[in-house]
């Protein structure tokens, strides 16, 4: 079951992560909405009291103080906690999916193919822990959600999702065995990059140079992540 003392800290971290993540996404979407000009209301001499609102209660007023993003984060984290009690992998996979979305936010502002993202890392860790389906869920959820904010071309999404499914099944099928997590993670990363890079070029005629830059930076980044955190996370979560 792993170190259960880490679970409360994980939940607090997930709460803050979801709060920040939802706030960023809402602000990013909100900038694209048409701003409506405020229409002044006719003033009235009759004072409005909070007690006139049947929904106004001390609990409701206290709840309304928090931004919408943190309300959503609290609901999501509470749901994860409830389900995590009975189905702990859901909590872990959801956390990795949220981290993957957060790690790809910079792509909205830097239109350059860098492989600095946690999709394959989270997929391999979850695939080793819980099998290929749970591993694939990380990328299958995170990539479509993240491109809503980053505004990347959606036509590339099917290839990325195919690659993440192959990565999940490869990571689960090979497992650790005689492999260590660093060798497994880097090997799956290379497989993902070769597969998706080849399909990007063959189907979409994507620039070769961009694929090489992404692949090299992706392998380098995942080597660091698996070296620093891979074994430690497995020891905690197993």
């Amino acid at each position: 079951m792993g170190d259960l003392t880490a679970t409360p800290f994980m939940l607090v971290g997930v709460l803050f992560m979801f709060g920040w993540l939802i706030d960023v996404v809402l602000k990013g979407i909100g900038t694209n909405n048409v701003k409506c000009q405020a229409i002044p209301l006719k003033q009235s001499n009759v004072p409005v009291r909070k007690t006139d609102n049947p929904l106004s209660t001390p609990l409701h007023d206290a709840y309304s103080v928090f931004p919408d993003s943190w309300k959503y984060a609290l609901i999501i984290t509470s749901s994860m906690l409830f389900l995590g009690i009975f189905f702990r992998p859901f909590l872990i996979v959801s956390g990795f999916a949220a981290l993957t979305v957060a790690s790809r936010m910079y792509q909205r502002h830097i239109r350059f193919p860098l492989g600095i993202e946690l999709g394959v890392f989270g997929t391999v860790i979850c695939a080793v822990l819980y099998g290929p389906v749970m591993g694939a869920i990380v990328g299958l959820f995170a990539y479509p959600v993240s491109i809503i904010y980053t505004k990347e071309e959606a036509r590339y999404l099917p290839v990325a999702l195919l690659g993440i499914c192959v990565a999940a099944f490869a990571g689960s099928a090979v497992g650790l065995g005689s492999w260590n997590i660093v060798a497994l993670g880097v090997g799956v990363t290379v497989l993902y990059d070769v597969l998706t890079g080849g399909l990007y070029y063959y189907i979409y005629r994507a620039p070769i140079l961009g694929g090489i830059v992404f692949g090299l930076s992706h392998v380098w980044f995942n080597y660091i992540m698996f070296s620093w955190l891979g074994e430690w996370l497995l020891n905690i979560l197993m």
Side-chain angles (χ1 to χ4, degrees), residues 71-232:
K71 297 175 187 177
Y72 299 145
L74 181 60
I75 294 173
I76 293 174
T77 306
S78 300
S79 302
M80 289 173 59
L81 175 60
F82 175 77
L83 292 174
I85 293 174
F86 304 100
F87 188 43
R88 189 166 180 260
F90 178 84
L91 178 65
I92 308 302
V93 171
S94 300
F96 275 111
L99 282 172
T100 300
V101 174
S103 71
R104 303 192 71 255
M105 289 282 181
Y106 74 94
Q107 288 288 349
R108 174 167 177 156
H109 310 287
I110 302 177
R111 293 299 184 180
F112 195 74
L114 290 176
I116 301 177
E117 51 93 9
L118 296 172
V120 172
F121 176 77
T123 294
V124 171
I125 294 293
C126 291
V128 170
L129 290 173
Y130 308 119
V133 175
M134 297 299 291
I137 289 176
V138 174
L140 292 177
F141 172 82
Y143 285 164
V145 170
S146 63
I147 67 170
I148 296 175
Y149 177 80
T150 61
K151 300 187 182 302
E152 296 170 276
E153 294 188 63
R155 62 174 181 157
Y156 295 116
L157 184 59
V159 173
L161 297 182
L162 173 63
I164 213 68
C165 290
V166 171
F169 278 86
S172 177
V174 175
L176 293 180
S178 59
W179 293 55
N180 59 48
I181 188 60
V182 179
L184 177 63
V186 172
V188 172
T189 303
V190 172
L191 174 63
Y192 173 88
D193 291 339
V194 171
L195 174 63
T196 57
L199 290 176
Y200 286 148
Y201 177 76
Y202 179 76
I203 298 175
Y204 307 109
R205 290 295 184 265
I208 297 179
L209 179 60
I212 294 175
V213 171
F214 177 87
L216 292 177
S217 60
H218 199 208
V219 172
W220 168 79
F221 179 75
N222 277 287
Y223 171 76
I224 293 177
M225 293 302 298
F226 282 106
S227 299
W228 289 2
L229 299 176
E231 192 69 30
W232 177 74

